[in-house]
Amino acid sequence: MEWKKISGGIKIFPDGAFDLKNTFDCGQCFRWNEREDGSYEGIVRGRYARLYRDGDGIVIENCTEDDLGSVWLDYFDLRNDYDSIRKEISDGCPQLTCAVESIDGIRILAQEPWEALCSFIISQNNNIPRIKGIIERLCASFGDESDGGRSFPTAQRLAVLSPEELAPLRAGFRARYIIDAARKVSEGSVRLDKMYEAPIDGCRRELMTITGVGQKVAECTLLYGLHRLEAFPVDVWMKKALSDNFAGVSPDSIGRYAGVAQQYIFHYSRLAEGAVKGGKK
DNA sequence: GCCCAGGTATAAA
DNA sequence: TTTATACATGGG
């Protein structure tokens, strides 16, 4: 990928489309917020960051060359070309073409494993604005101070708390799930750091030993937190999304990018629902 | 007020 | 093994 230093940061020219709004607002993450001027700000690895599109590239503010290599290349998956991934999905599974083409410029972020696990526990039976609110209160209450905001609290920090002490989050029944996850991660019975490489079936099973973690949360953790792009096995999830439209999708053809494909289906499904709701009124 | 949200635990069939 | 219901809370 091409990039260059500019005053106040680094400008990147990703291989394949990279749309900030579509990437940050597609439901894969909950801690990036759009500002009035169209830039996005968030906290990654305990550090405040802001970025915005500038012509043919994207500017990462206050970014050094070291930061690019140690954080952003991984976080934005800049070594991958998402145009070619889209093509591979679409060619391998023509049924998915409509979903793939429903949105452009999404990249799967490499979020931190614990943050992803915790976030998607909170996401269950919940809506995105409220999920963001709960996570914001979680960080404000128990995160460490960092420049421009508070970091995501560690599992160790939360493991010593009781569900009752999470009351200020207004997370409802999910409070005890968060605590159970924090304790299992903290004590090492769920080893997130091994899950980057370990066989994915074992990872699933290990994650699901946590109360409040079922198939969906496990897959989301693996995809968004451990960057396992093959998460969300096609045979289970794709048919479920819009049963009839996507029936017959073959796991073989896009298996290694099933998780990415799922992201397109998720967006496509939301569009379809919006059209139905909008049509009724 | 009502419906529902990036689901899961639990009980019942 | 599959299907039904409760769950806390608040956005739209």
Side-chain angles (χ1 to χ4, degrees):
Chain A
M1 182 198 68
E2 308 263 333
W3 60 273
K4 68 179 182 188
K5 286 187 187 175
I6 60 167
S7 65
I10 280 182
K11 187 173 182 179
I12 60 172
F13 304 90
D15 300 319
F18 183 5
D19 184 281
L20 293 176
K21 175 178 272 300
N22 290 346
T23 295
F24 291 138
D25 294 339
C26 69
Q28 66 171 318
C29 58
F30 306 100
R31 288 200 82 198
W32 284 94
N33 295 307
E34 187 174 16
R35 301 187 359 158
E36 290 279 339
D37 59 7
S39 67
Y40 276 83
E41 57 187 358
I43 295 177
V44 176
R45 300 198 198 178
R47 287 177 53 188
Y48 170 87
R50 189 168 88 97
L51 45 157
Y52 55 89
R53 171 156 290 280
D54 178 29
D56 53 350
I58 285 170
V59 173
I60 308 177
E61 274 193 350
N62 299 321
C63 176
T64 67
E65 195 172 335
D66 283 347
D67 294 336
L68 187 62
S70 65
V71 178
W72 301 114
L73 229 43
D74 286 329
Y75 187 79
F76 290 124
D77 199 10
L78 293 167
R79 296 180 184 87
N80 258 323
D81 179 343
Y82 276 74
D83 284 348
S84 65
I85 292 178
R86 280 157 58 90
K87 187 171 187 313
E88 185 168 331
I89 293 169
S90 203
D91 289 352
C93 281
Q95 304 99 307
L96 298 181
T97 302
C98 56
V100 168
E101 291 181 350
S102 71
I103 187 168
D104 192 19
I106 288 183
R107 306 186 75 88
I108 302 297
L109 303 174
Q111 301 176 61
E112 285 157 276
W114 163 247
E115 176 173 344
L117 169 59
C118 204
S119 297
F120 282 94
I121 286 173
I122 292 167
S123 81
Q124 66 182 80
N125 195 230
N126 212 343
N127 58 63
I128 290 174
R130 203 170 86 88
I131 295 164
K132 293 179 83 166
I134 292 170
I135 292 174
E136 199 174 299
R137 292 190 288 277
L138 176 66
C139 297
S141 304
F142 304 108
D144 292 323
E145 290 190 50
S146 61
D147 56 334
R150 277 176 182 273
S151 61
F152 198 93
T154 63
Q156 288 71 22
R157 174 72 184 92
L158 299 181
V160 299
L161 302 176
S162 65
E164 292 72 31
E165 291 175 281
L166 295 187
L169 308 189
R170 285 170 278 154
F173 62 89
R174 306 165 193 83
R176 72 186 182 94
Y177 300 165
I178 296 169
I179 297 302
D180 188 57
R183 290 182 179 166
K184 289 196 165 96
V185 168
S186 171
E187 78 193 11
S189 65
V190 172
R191 294 160 318 208
L192 294 173
D193 52 330
K194 304 276 186 197
M195 295 187 187
Y196 288 103
E197 301 291 339
I200 198 163
D201 283 331
C203 300
R204 289 191 175 100
R205 278 198 298 277
E206 198 165 309
L207 285 165
M208 288 173 65
T209 62
I210 297 166
T211 309
V213 175
Q215 286 185 75
K216 180 75 179 296
V217 173
E219 299 302 335
C220 288
T221 302
L222 288 166
L223 178 60
Y224 304 118
L226 292 137
H227 208 70
R228 301 289 294 253
L229 299 186
E230 79 274 33
F232 283 93
V234 215
D235 50 342
V236 178
W237 293 104
M238 308 236 161
K239 283 189 244 178
K240 217 175 211 176
L242 283 179
S243 42
D244 290 343
N245 296 5
F246 296 118
V249 168
S250 70
D252 302 332
S253 51
I254 57 163
R256 65 184 180 130
Y257 292 128
V260 186
Q262 168 275 150
Q263 187 67 63
Y264 290 113
I265 291 175
F266 177 66
H267 179 265
Y268 184 78
S269 305
R270 288 211 299 183
L271 278 186
E273 284 169 23
V276 171
K277 284 178 187 170
K280 281 186 176 178
K281 289 182 181 177

